Amino acid sequence: VTDTWTALASTPMDPNSGRLFARTGHKAVWTTAGMIVVGGSDGVNNSDQNFNRSIIRLAPDLSTWTLVSNGPLELGRFDHSLESDGDRLVFLWGGQTQTDSDPIGSTVLIDAATLVATRVTAAGEPEAARNATAVWTGREFIVWGGTGAGSEPLPGGGRFEPDPVNPRWTLPTGPAAAELHA
């Protein structure tokens, strides 16, 4: 309405460096619990022991940040897919680690309200990829494309149903390979 920018609250302090928490190569999504930021690097300490294993959340009123540091290793990645169901479920898939250029394909679900991350093992997970695109359909998450091992574009993807009792992947056939798409 006013065409003006409003500053966000300052991020929390990085307990390792003593500086304000900063990121590059991360992904962010909006949920009813606020903005959830996962992955990336502080741009200084590019290693698996970096803050890329943390989750940070900006409150819906944009006034405060919450930081969960030293989360599970599954959070330590960049070039990953991150999507929300629009409520409080956050889906994290694919990407690569700081020390290994090969893509990873693990599925992680994050509760946006509690910031608890859970590795989900479900049969039929698609081939590991970095730079894949993820969307929420209202019932399932779909990932498509990206880059596989050897830096080759990947065809297809998969559909993930986050059923709490029986989470499952379905691998449909897809159109031609694509990478770095939006």
Side-chain angles (χ1 to χ4, degrees), residues 77 80-81 91-95 105-107 125-129 132 143 169:
R77 60 182 83 193
H80 52 286
S81 300
F91 169 81
L92 169 67
W93 186 82
S106 59
T107 305
E125 192 168 70
E127 181 179 344
V143 295
W169 279 96

Side-chain angles (χ1 to χ4, degrees), residues 106-138:
S106 59
T107 305
V108 177
L109 297 178
I110 302 167
D111 184 309
T114 64
L115 298 181
V116 171
T118 305
R119 169 73 166 98
V120 177
T121 303
E125 192 168 70
E127 181 179 344
R130 56 185 171 268
N131 296 315
T133 299
V135 296
W136 171 248
T137 68

